[in-house]
C-alpha cells in the first residue's frame, strides 16, 4: 500500500485502531519505557505517537513501534491481514519473484524543505532525541534511514543505523562492520575524504522498512522501495550534499562522516537488538551535521529493539523471507518454512535424503541475511510451524538426541554487539563466534518408524469442527 508520507500512514493506523496517542511524555526515559511496557502488555503492540513531548514545541512528535505492529507490516507489504505468518511469508516470496525495479523520480523540492537550518545555526537539540533505556550512554535516534553514495559507481545505499547526540552539530554512529554503509564510508576515508551523508529521522514507513533490510551490495534500495509501494519514491537533492533525499521526509540531517583522524566521541552503550548492552561504549568517528531540513511539526521515528518473543509480529519485516530466498537459491529442496529472528534461524523442511537437514542448516548461514551473527540454527520437520516457538521447542525436546543432534561450528561471522563475545576477543577485534545446529527432525534413517504424534488428523479435525466448532468457539 502506498503512503505518500508518514502522516498518511499515521491517519490510516489511527482509523484502524492501531495507533495510540500519548501526551506529555518526557524524552528522558519515559518514551522508551512506555514503548517497552506496551510490548510487554500486548502481543500485538499498537504504534505509539508521542505528542507534546516535554520541553519541545507541541507539534514535534515521536512515533514508535512501527516495525513491530503486525497491521503496519501487512499494509506496507500489501498482504491480507487474515493470512497466517507463514502464509504471508510464502505469498510475499512469490511476489518477490516478480520484482521489477521502480526507480525514484527527482522533484525540484518537497515538504522536507519547509524549514532549513544550516551552518552555525545548526542545533540538533531542536529535535526530540530520546534516551531510550536506563543505561544508554546518551540520547539516540534509532529509526533512521541513512542515505550514502558509493564513491566509484555512484550507487545509492540506504541503511538504518543508530546515532548518538554529542552536541549542537555532532553525532556518532554505530555501523556494524561489513554493512554496506560501513564499506562505503571506509572507501571515502581510504581516499582521504569524509563521507557525505543524509540521515532521515522520519519518512513514509516503506523507506524505513527497506533501509533496515539487508539487500545485497549494489542493490538499488530506492528502486526496491518504489516497487514495494507501487509508485516511485519522490526524491529531491539535499541542501548540503547532493544526495537524493525523500521529498516528503519529516527531518533530514545532512553532513559528513569524518574519517577516524577527524576526532572521535564515545558511542554506546545502547540497549541493543540482542536484548543486552552488548556493544558497550567505544570511541567512534564523528559525523558533523551542516544542515537540518524539516517539515513543520516534524515526526521522528523511534524504533528501539523490542525483544519480547511474540511481539515481533511483523513477520514480513523480519528477514525470514530473505533467509528463505538465500536457502532456496542454493537449491535446497523441501523447505516448508523459515523463521529468522535475532541470531537464530529456524527451518522447517521435508527431509528427502541423508544429510538434508544439515545441508539446510549450514546453507541458511551462507548468505548475508541468514549468516549475519547467527548463533543457533534449529531444523524441524515439515509438520512444525517455525513461527510457533512452542511447537519448535516441543520438537526439540522430543525429536532431538542431544548427543548426536547438536553440532558446533567455530569461527563464524559475528560482530561487536554480541553480548557473549569474550573481553579478550573484543580487545583484539576478533568478532567471531560459534554456531550450534540443532537437528530436531525425526532421524532420517528411521523416520518411518518414529512414533506417531497424537495430533488429530486434518480429516478428523474437519469433521468434528463442523459438528462442534460453534460450541468450542464460544
Ligand atoms: C530500527 C533499526 C535499527 C538498526 N540499527 C542498526 C545500527 O545501529 N547499526 C547497524 O549496524 N545496523 C543496524 N540495523 C540493521 C541495519 O540497518 C541493516 O542490517 C541494514 O540492512 C544495513 O544496511 P547496509 O548493509 O546497506 O549498510 C538496524 C535496523 C533497524 C530496522
Amino acid at each position: 500500500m502506498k503512503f505518500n508520507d508518514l502522516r498518511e500512514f499515521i491517519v490510516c493506523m489511527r482509523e484502524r485502531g492501531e495507533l495510540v496517542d500519548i501526551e506529555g511524555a518526557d524524552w528522558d526515559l519515559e518514551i522508551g519505557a512506555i514503548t517497552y511496557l506496551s510490548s510487554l502488555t500486548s502481543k500485538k503492540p499498537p504504534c505509539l505517537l508521542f505528542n507534546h513531548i516535554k520541553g519541545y514545541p507541541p507539534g514535534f512528535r515521536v512515533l514508535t513501534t512501527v516495525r513491530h505492529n503486525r497491521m503496519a507490516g501487512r499494509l506496507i507489504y500489501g498482504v491480507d491481514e487474515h493470512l497466517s505468518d507463514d502464509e504471508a511469508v510464502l505469498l510475499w516470496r512469490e511476489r518477490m519473484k516478480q520484482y521489477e525495479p521502480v526507480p525514484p523520480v527527482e522533484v525540484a523540492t518537497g515538504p522536507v524543505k519547509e524549514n532549513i537550518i544550516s551552518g552555525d545555526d545548526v542545533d540538533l537539540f531542536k529535535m526530540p532525541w530520546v534516551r531510550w533505556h536506563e543505561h544508554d550512554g546518551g540520547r539516540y535516534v534509532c529509526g533512521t534511514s541513512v542515505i550514502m553514495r558509493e564513491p566509484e559507481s555512484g550507487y545509492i545505499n540506504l541503511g538504518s543505523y543508530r546515532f548518538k547526540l554529542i552536541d549542537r552539530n555532532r553525532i556518532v554512529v554505530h555501523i556494524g562492520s561489513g554493512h554496506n554503509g560501513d564499506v562505503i564510508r571506509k572507501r571515502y576515508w581510504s581516499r582521504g575524504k569524509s563521507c557525505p551523508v543524509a540521515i532521515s529521522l522520519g519518512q513514509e514507513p516503506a523507506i524505513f522498512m527497506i533501509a533496515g533490510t539487508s539487500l545485497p551490495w549494489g542493490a538499488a534500495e530506492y528502486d526496491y522501495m518504489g516497487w514495494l509501494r507501487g509508485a516511485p519514491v519522490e526524491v529531491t537533492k539535499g541542501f548540503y550534499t547532493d544526495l537524493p533525499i525523500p521529498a516528503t521526509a519529516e527531518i533530514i540531517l545532512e553532513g559528513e562522516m569524518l574519517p577516524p583522524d577527524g576526532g572521535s566521541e564515545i558511542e554506546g552503550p545502547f540497549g541493543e537488538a540482542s536484548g543486552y548492552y552488548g556493544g558497550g561504549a567505544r570511541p567512534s568517528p564523528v559525523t558533523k551535521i551542516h544542515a537540518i531540513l524539516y517539515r513543520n511539526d516534524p515526526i521522528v521515528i523511534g524504533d528501539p529493539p523490542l525483544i519480547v518473543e511474540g511481539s515481533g509480529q511483523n513477520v514480513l519485516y523480519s528477514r525470514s523471507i530473505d533467509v528463505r530466498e538465500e536457502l532456496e537459491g542454493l537449491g535446497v529442496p523441501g523447505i516448508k518454512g523459515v523463521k529468522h529472528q535475532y541470531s537464530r534461524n529456524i527451518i522447517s523442511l521435508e527431509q528427502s535424503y541423508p544429510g538434508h537437514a544439515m545441508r539446510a542448516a549450514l546453507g541458511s548461514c551462507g548468505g548475508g541475511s541468514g549468516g549475519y551473527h547467527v548463533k543457533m540454527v534449529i531444523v524441524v520437520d515439515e509438520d512444525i510451524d517455525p513461527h510457533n516457538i512452542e511447537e519448535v521447542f516441543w520438537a526439540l525436546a522430543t525429536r532431538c538426541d542431544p548427543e548426536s543432534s547438536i553440532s558446533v561450528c567455530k569461527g563464524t561471522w559475528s560482530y561487536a554487539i554480541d553480548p557473549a563475545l569474550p573481553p579478550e576477543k573484543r580487545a583484539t577485534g576478533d568478532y567471531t563466534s560459534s554456531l550450534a545446529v540443532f537437528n530436531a527432525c525425526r532421524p532420517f534413517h528411521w523416520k518411518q518408524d518414529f512414533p506417531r504424534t497424537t495430533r488429530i488428523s486434518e480429516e478428523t479435525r474437519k469433521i468434528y469442527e463442523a459438528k462442534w466448532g460453534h460450541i468450542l468457539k464460544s
Side-chain angles (χ1 to χ4, degrees), residues 5-58:
D5 59 11
L6 188 58
R7 296 166 194 221
E8 276 189 10
F9 170 75
I10 287 172
V11 169
C12 173
M13 296 302 278
R14 194 182 276 126
E15 280 170 2
R16 289 168 187 262
E18 294 281 342
L19 182 136
V20 175
D21 285 282
I22 296 174
E23 306 297 323
D26 197 326
W27 58 262
D28 193 8
L29 204 53
E30 200 167 17
I31 291 178
I34 295 170
T35 303
Y36 180 77
L37 287 173
S38 119
S39 80
L40 289 186
T41 49
S42 167
K43 281 219 152 194
K44 294 179 182 171
C47 294
L48 304 176
L49 183 63
F50 293 91
N51 306 295
H52 296 99
I53 296 165
K54 220 167 153 187
Y56 282 87

Side-chain angles (χ1 to χ4, degrees), residues 26 31 41 173 199 249 284 330-331 377 379 427 450:
D26 197 326
I31 291 178
T41 49
V173 66
I199 305 156
S284 303
L330 292 173
V377 183
V379 192
F450 204 86

Side-chain angles (χ1 to χ4, degrees), residues 67 142-144 155 157-163 173-182 208-215 221 270 303-305 317 319 372 415:
R67 258 185 325 136
C142 57
T144 62
Y155 118 77
N157 187 72
L158 277 92
S160 188
Y161 324 112
R162 70 180 192 236
F163 286 84
V173 66
H174 165 78
I175 309 188
S177 52
H179 278 170
N180 295 341
D182 179 51
F208 166 55
M209 292 287 202
I210 301 306
T213 303
S214 285
L215 295 188
E221 264 131 345
F270 180 76
D303 226 82
Y317 163 74
R319 294 185 176 184
Y372 193 47
Y415 81 147

